[in-house]
Amino acid sequence: MGLAAAVLPAAESSRPRIGLVLGGGGARGLAHIGVLKALEDARVPIDCIVGTSIGALVAGGYAAGRTPEELIAESEKANWDDLLSSNLPRQSLSFRQKELDRVGNVPIELGLRDDGTIAFPRAAIGTQKVEYFLRELTYGGTVNNFNQLATPYRAIATDLETGEMVVLHDGDIVSAMRASMAVPGVFPPVPLEGQTLVDGGLSRNMGVDVARKLCADVVIAVDVASPPLKSSEIDNLFSVADQYTRLMILQNQRPQIASLRPGRDVLITPDLDKLSSSDFAKVKQLIERGEAAAQLQLPELERYALPAPAYRKWSLARQAKQLVPKPINEIQVAQLDYVNPDVLKGALDIAPGKPLDNAAFNDRLTKTYARGDFSQLDYELLDTSNGQLFRLTPVEKSWGPNYLNLGLALSTDFDTDNRYSLAARYRRTWINDLGGEWSSLLRLGDHTQFSTEFYQPLQLDGYAFVAPYFSIENQPVDIWLEGSKVAQYRYRKERAGLDVGSGYGKYGEVRLGFAFNDYRGARDIGFVPEDSSGDPADGDTGIRNGLENFGQKDWGVRLRIYYDQLDSLAFPTEGVLFNAQMYQSFGGQSDQGDFDTYSQASATLVKGFKLGDFGGHVKLHGVVQRGGGDNDVNDVQWLGGFMNLSSYGYQEIIGDSMAYGRVALYHPLSFLVPDSKVYVGGALEVGQLFDAVEESQDSLHTSVTAFVGMDTFLGPFYVAGAYGDNKKARFYVMLGNPY
């Protein structure tokens, strides 16, 4: 033991310095972690490490002091599908952001300039959640120069303006990692030191020359790049674009591989076969392939292995330089163009003189991000002589502050009902420093609608606001008798009012205000049969009395209480949605004669739940009206249509007041499509209309529905069938909600 200890320093100083080069390749780069594990098992020391794209992520974690075992644990517990998505959990979104969800918009947000031109986002996926992951991976620490890390480190990026390689060697390590993996068009570019940086694979997918310049006498390079597609696989626009990217990367990588010296440098090429750059869900398999590939190279690698005592000493020295968070002694915030900087105050509640509490800070940052004003909330941690400089760089949406969202919905019951809806929603945000917002919705189809509202907070947090609004809707209302359509009315509603209210962040809001309503109806086709006395069959007024035209105006006070913490509108598994509205008219006039004041109350409750492997929800909905006399023609209620007593035709049962409830269960078809959003399920529905048009329908009805559903990019898609107490089966194909 004494002789070995005496010889160890001389042996260690005389060995060649080894540089590890980790190439880019998307998810395939998770194989790098397996290579690191095999090198550790073989006692091969790494003196410096260079990474590109996903290689920069793995290399950065290792350089910060993570062991291969820790990298395996972190990568396996990561929810990669969630990390590589811009979408936050629905429950964390602000209430006003959830309103976009309820309209059924496609999740593509465009910008609309004042000159009418359309602006597009600079990237398909934000990296807000990726940044949280990288901060955890690097312990929330930093150094002045990457040579000071546990393993000296370089990340390779590309200058988007010039196309030149940029080797990142100092500053914030997470920013360097993000820049190296910022695939153009997929992830947002990273501005650093006056340059706009994107994925390093465009200029140097494998930085062998960078490793030699950094430290390497010997280079161990790991190639995980996707091979070129075969001609038979290039059969559409997307595969052509994919091949172009693959070839471009291979072109800059080949000279680097050619520079490796046989008998000295080592090239490791994991057998990744059909594993693609997007197979993040196969992390275990990828790591195993990397480890196996490195083990095949052991005859070449073992010449660089250290004796166990020397490797232990080397490893302990590396662990001693593991990154640690330092006290925050200075805070800087970049300037904003249109968002009031005071919205950042909650996120910047940072205690000076103490290390940043990453978990608590990320929670606060997420709340600010959920407002929807920013594409990124980046921050840097820069080393100072006695702590860290915290620099927050809020990135306002480059396509804002005026937004356009589009929506599409289609449905058929293969019988009498075929509907479509095209929707566009325009929002003009930050009209003033308090966050005034003008929002308008246009819907075309069987149901046409135009609505507009000016939402003016009286405080920046929205705890108090005023909101004048106007809306006009025009839709058909079908009259059914004995299971058949006999008439159709064109029913129009106009509303205007002024609300005062209070908002509660992501939870909901309360509104109270004056409202004016104008209801109009005109019969388009058909007739309402008369009974033996010559009166309209089973009806008395408005739509129900066979009039060609009718109308009513009234005014009063409306109260709305809305709470929304559902995790999904289409297939909820947790959370609650509650919406209650009450209206009391104080006056009005009717085209049919005397007007009597009336009151109306409605409530909707949806509760998501889990039952073993099943998800499900309970929905209760009711509308009660009192007063109004015999001549009222205000809001018409109906049952019928998908998930509204599905065995009945759309609007088959019409009345003034109603009660409806359902219980639905659904199970993901994960055995067919792993981690998919495809469900098979069913629902039991019950409902009753009171004072129904057809008197025989004024009773409790039931329906049983079975469906296959999918939560798609365009909205929920269903193929369904239903059977009920009307002894009829009805089938549906539906995308979104055209009603």
Side-chain angles (χ1 to χ4, degrees), residues 93-101 370-372 397 427:
L93 296 178
S94 70
F95 180 74
R96 295 191 64 77
Q97 287 292 109
K98 290 173 186 170
E99 286 188 320
L100 298 176
D101 189 16
R371 292 176 55 94
K397 292 180 176 178
R427 293 185 302 128

Side-chain angles (χ1 to χ4, degrees), residues 281-302:
K282 299 178 181 178
V283 57
K284 289 185 178 181
Q285 188 176 351
L286 287 160
I287 293 173
E288 290 170 357
R289 295 286 183 93
E291 184 177 7
Q295 288 171 343
L296 289 176
Q297 299 294 330
L298 283 179
E300 293 189 58
L301 292 170
E302 285 176 340

Side-chain angles (χ1 to χ4, degrees), residues 48 86 91 194 211 223 229 252 277 293 340 364 406 419 453 473 501 560 570 627 630 635 697:
C48 62
S86 299
Q91 291 160 310
D223 176 15
L229 296 171
N252 74 61
S277 60
N340 189 331
R364 296 195 301 272
L406 305 175
R419 295 183 181 271
E453 177 188 80
E473 297 181 58
R560 187 179 86 158
D630 293 332
D635 276 351
Q697 299 282 32

